[in-house]
Every structure is written in C-alpha cells, then in structure tokens.
Amino acid sequence: MRRGFTLVELMVVLGILAVFMPVAWTVLARNEDDRAVAAFHLRAAAVSRTVSEQMAVDQRSGERVAGAPAWTIGACEVRYSVDGGVLLREGCAGAAVALAERVERFEATAGGWELTLALPLRPERIERVTLFFPEVP
C-alpha cells in the first residue's frame, strides 16, 4: 500500500502554483486599488458638497478680498488655505476648521476655485480628483 505523494506529483503542483500565484496576486492587488479608488471618489463627493456649501455662504455673506481665497464678513476676514494637505477655513475667532483632507492644490481659476485631491495608491499610481467651485454672483 502506497502512502503520500511522489516527488513528480509534488513538482507538478509546485509548477502549477508558480504560474497561478502571480496572476492571483495581480488580480487581488487591482481589486484592492479599485476599492480604494471607489471610496476616495465617494469621499471627494462629500468634500465637494461640504466645501461648496461653506464657500457659497461666505461668498453671499461678505465681500471678496482681492487676490486671495478670502472674504470680509462684517469686521471679520474668512480665509481659505492649505496646510499639510488639509484645506482649512480660518474664521474670525482665529479658529480653523478642516474642510478637506488629501488636498494637493487649491487655487483661483477663471470664474471660481479649483480643488485637487490626491490619493497615492502605489509609487507609480496616484488617483486625482479635481473639483471646481464657481464664484457666486
């Protein structure tokens, strides 16, 4: 009565695994990236809503400060800035509120403001989303 596997049978199984494992690893890594990108896009949609609502309130309530993402509301100046990848709204009392994370760029463009969010997935792949916020008349 024979017990166990022969060396040839083990070598065949190892050969099949040597072909199958890199393919499986690639599929799993791509699936993980796709999941992270989908979550990032959902977060970007929430950031878009939050920032646009806050900027619309500030624009309707105050006068725009020339050359800066800032508005004068009464005796107070409200300013938007990026610090360490976080979009901050600095209000009257000196308190800063974080509106968005993973911010790569926030700058004025024709007719509004552009906010670019970035998610580094791997060294060779960075997912970016650019949001446009128009100036409210």
Side-chain angles (χ1 to χ4, degrees):
M1 183 168 170
R2 189 177 124 198
R3 302 186 98 189
F5 298 102
T6 65
L7 186 58
V8 173
E9 291 171 332
L10 290 174
M11 294 302 289
V12 168
V13 169
L14 287 176
I16 292 171
L17 285 176
V19 171
F20 175 72
M21 289 307 290
V23 173
W25 188 265
T26 303
V27 169
L28 290 174
R30 187 173 300 133
N31 188 18
E32 180 68 21
D33 284 355
D34 291 346
R35 184 205 54 80
V37 168
F40 177 64
H41 282 258
L42 285 174
R43 181 70 187 129
V47 163
S48 175
R49 185 173 48 254
T50 301
V51 173
S52 65
E53 288 173 359
Q54 188 61 61
M55 286 185 83
V57 167
D58 291 339
Q59 289 179 46
R60 288 187 184 111
S61 302
E63 296 282 324
R64 173 128 188 271
V65 175
W71 289 267
T72 303
I73 302 172
C76 169
E77 183 175 285
V78 175
R79 181 174 296 276
Y80 290 80
S81 63
V82 177
D83 184 22
V86 177
L87 177 65
L88 299 172
R89 179 189 180 270
E90 300 167 31
C92 299
V97 176
L99 297 176
E101 297 175 341
R102 300 186 186 278
V103 175
E104 186 175 74
R105 180 173 64 88
F106 180 64
E107 61 187 23
T109 60
W113 305 93
E114 274 191 2
L115 175 67
T116 301
L117 306 174
L119 175 68
L121 296 167
R122 293 187 303 270
E124 70 275 5
R125 183 171 178 207
I126 298 175
E127 182 73 18
R128 289 183 174 87
V129 174
T130 300
L131 307 169
F132 179 74
F133 303 103
E135 287 196 47
V136 177

